[in-house]
Amino acid sequence: MMVLVINCGSSSIKYQLFDMTNESALAKGLVDRIGMGKSSLTHIPAHRDAVTRTADIHNHSVGIRMVLDALVDKEIGVIDGLDKIAAVGHRVLHGGMKFSDSVLITPEVMAAVEECVELGPLHNPANILGINACAELMPGVPQVAVFDTGFHQTMPPYAFLYGLPYEAFEKYGVRRYGFHGTSHRYIAQRAIQMMGGRKDLRIITCHLGNGASVAAIKNGQCVDTSMGLTPLEGLMMGTRCGDLDPAIVPFLMKKTGMTPDQFDTYMNKKSGLLGLSGVSNDVRDIEEAALGGNDRANLALEVYCYRVRKYIGSYAAAMGGVDVIVFTAGLGENSISMRSRICHGLEFLGTILDSDKNQTRGKEQEISADGSVVKIFVIPTNEELVIARDSVEICSMLCKTDKDHPPALIEKFA
Ligand code: AMP
């Protein structure tokens, strides 16, 4: 059974096609610069070279059409017909308070995703475009929405409320939602498996990519996470500032004359590692500059690691201790030196990094020393696989429980 996973951004579409009989990825790729000119599709069939095709891709519907054409193409394709695709799973950024679990997409679900546009103004509209394009091009194929916020919906009110007047929450839905939920869920589940299936664990998951967040997971459920109403809160990231004194916003707006939109861009696109180092948002560039004697580059890395360490300490306090720390995403999976800098100073928690085991990149590995009370793991994330698994599970379950299930579901999943 094939499942197509789609992740639409405002000007891009990432995709991956899975054969769910053995959970293997048959192809993946990226449609880039939609509606911006010089748009292209890069398609990578498994175990073969990437192929890039340029075209005028003026909207998401055209982009998805190109993806589907590539999947069935005689030369670069991996399936002989679109009818082989049993379901499409979509990454949807913001599910607000409405969605804690993944769902089959229905007109009611679409209306609710639409209502969440206010909370996810950059991503939810693109997600909606992608869902509509798939519905148009693959009529009758069930589609599933997997929300980036869903896993964090188990947070208790004392963790998700801000210290603002209560009406900000009641009237406007201002609260912590958290993001990267699919990634935190995947690596926490893998960590539980690697710990012999123990459910009673206190796990701190560190998703450290260009965007970065930390989550506290107790007994398999998220109890706190560092991103908030938007992905701007929490850790300092590639280009995002993370936690700030909120009074800095009006202070700097008055000083510089920036408008709210300009200030939003300042905090989201010009800050973080890029803004502090003045070099790049990419840790590899900053490390190189730091090695070459650039003090600001080194300071930016120190600020980054200090903040991750502080979150780990505070989440250990939130859970009454910690049993497992997991690193994932670009930096978490690949940067030996940053993992080492983050863990240095966490020994008081019973955390001892093994510097030899830490010499690893991009693969699943325990990196804690034999005597470490807290296990430390590197676990490469796989959000697409979670989306594909949820899609299969939801479609199969509906076939069993819903008497009015659509014919396309019965055909493929019953
Ligand atoms: P992601 O958003 O998960 O794709 O992560 C991208 C970020 O991971 C980059 O901007 C880098 O900061 C970081 N990264 C990726 N590979 C490495 C590496 N080999 N060493 C250090 N940092 C890396």
Side-chain angles (χ1 to χ4, degrees):
M1 175 188 305
M2 312 291 172
V3 175
L4 178 61
V5 173
I6 298 277
N7 179 358
C8 283
S10 51
S11 62
S12 68
I13 303 167
K14 287 192 195 126
Y15 64 94
Q16 203 156 335
L17 182 71
F18 285 93
D19 178 351
M20 292 307 284
T21 48
N22 57 7
E23 294 194 334
S24 61
L26 299 179
K28 65 178 179 180
L30 170 73
V31 181
D32 212 6
R33 297 182 58 86
I34 297 171
M36 295 165 73
K38 293 191 188 155
S39 16
S40 63
L41 164 95
T42 301
H43 178 73
I44 314 172
H47 316 300
R48 284 192 267 161
D49 291 338
V51 181
T52 299
R53 288 178 175 172
T54 48
D56 176 21
I57 308 173
H58 55 273
N59 63 31
H60 284 70
S61 184
V62 175
I64 297 223
R65 173 85 265 166
M66 274 188 84
V67 171
L68 300 179
D69 287 347
L71 291 172
V72 298
D73 188 275
K74 284 216 161 49
E75 280 169 31
I76 60 170
V78 289
I79 47 175
D80 54 20
L82 290 181
D83 57 334
K84 295 286 184 306
I85 298 176
V88 183
H90 292 266
R91 176 188 182 211
V92 179
L93 182 85
H94 219 305
M97 286 193 284
K98 294 195 168 69
F99 300 106
S100 53
D101 289 314
S102 308
V103 287
L104 183 75
I105 296 174
T106 61
E108 293 74 33
V109 167
M110 285 302 275
V113 172
E114 196 90 50
E115 277 177 38
C116 295
V117 163
E118 214 179 36
L119 294 168
L122 293 180
H123 293 83
N124 275 36
N127 300 145
I128 292 168
L129 287 173
I131 293 167
N132 287 337
C134 289
E136 178 196 323
L137 297 167
M138 290 183 279
V141 176
Q143 301 196 65
V144 167
V146 179
F147 299 92
D148 226 35
T149 48
F151 179 61
H152 302 303
Q153 281 294 301
T154 47
M155 275 186 289
Y158 61 77
F160 72 61
L161 281 173
Y162 292 114
L164 289 167
Y166 196 71
E167 64 171 28
F169 167 59
E170 277 190 314
K171 266 195 184 168
Y172 307 113
V174 171
R175 51 158 283 181
R176 176 182 311 288
Y177 289 97
F179 298 87
H180 294 143
T182 318
S183 174
H184 288 292
R185 170 153 67 110
Y186 175 79
I187 58 170
Q189 280 169 354
R190 276 301 298 142
I192 290 169
Q193 284 166 352
M194 289 161 85
M195 293 291 285
R198 266 182 64 192
K199 290 263 161 54
D200 61 334
L201 293 168
R202 295 157 300 183
I203 304 173
I204 298 175
T205 46
C206 307
H207 177 111
L208 308 179
N210 196 27
S213 63
V214 186
I217 297 162
K218 196 171 182 180
N219 303 326
Q221 295 209 316
C222 176
V223 293
D224 207 346
T225 191
S226 58
M227 284 178 165
L229 174 79
T230 75
L232 186 57
E233 194 186 349
L235 299 176
M236 188 178 83
M237 310 177 207
T239 59
R240 295 186 190 129
C241 57
D243 294 335
L244 283 183
D245 174 352
I248 292 171
V249 179
F251 178 84
L252 273 182
M253 280 176 70
K254 281 183 202 151
K255 284 273 179 210
T256 62
M258 275 190 261
T259 64
D261 281 351
Q262 286 169 332
F263 205 79
D264 202 50
T265 304
Y266 185 71
M267 293 187 295
N268 273 291
K269 301 259 164 74
K270 298 186 176 166
S271 300
L273 285 168
L274 172 69
L276 264 189
S277 71
V279 173
S280 162
N281 63 321
D282 192 309
V283 166
R284 287 163 290 196
D285 302 336
I286 305 170
E287 283 187 326
E288 202 182 304
L291 279 174
N294 182 330
D295 289 341
R296 239 175 75 191
N298 191 45
L299 181 63
L301 297 173
E302 198 48 50
V303 172
Y304 187 97
C305 295
Y306 174 71
R307 288 187 168 208
V308 178
R309 205 180 311 127
K310 268 208 308 191
Y311 263 100
I312 292 174
S314 66
Y315 284 171
M319 295 191 289
V322 53
D323 303 298
V324 183
I325 297 170
V326 187
F327 290 102
T328 198
L331 194 165
E333 291 167 27
N334 295 299
S335 181
I336 295 164
S337 58
M338 292 294 273
R339 285 195 303 255
S340 169
R341 276 173 98 153
I342 290 165
C343 291
H344 184 72
L346 287 177
E347 292 78 10
F348 77 101
L349 287 174
T351 303
I352 310 170
L353 185 77
D354 184 313
S355 53
D356 289 334
K357 290 189 204 162
N358 188 38
Q359 304 297 316
T360 184
R361 290 184 209 277
K363 56 178 205 290
E364 221 168 72
Q365 162 111 24
E366 183 191 335
I367 55 170
S368 42
D370 289 345
S372 182
V373 179
V374 178
K375 296 280 183 207
I376 316 171
F377 294 126
V378 173
I379 302 180
T381 194
N382 198 339
E383 294 161 270
E384 293 78 13
L385 181 59
V386 177
I387 295 172
R389 282 179 182 164
D390 278 10
S391 303
V392 172
E393 195 185 323
I394 283 169
C395 293
S396 310
M397 200 169 61
L398 279 166
C399 274
K400 292 191 187 98
T401 55
D402 182 357
K403 291 198 180 61
D404 301 321
H405 40 58
L409 281 185
I410 313 175
E411 209 179 290
K412 312 271 185 190
F413 292 93

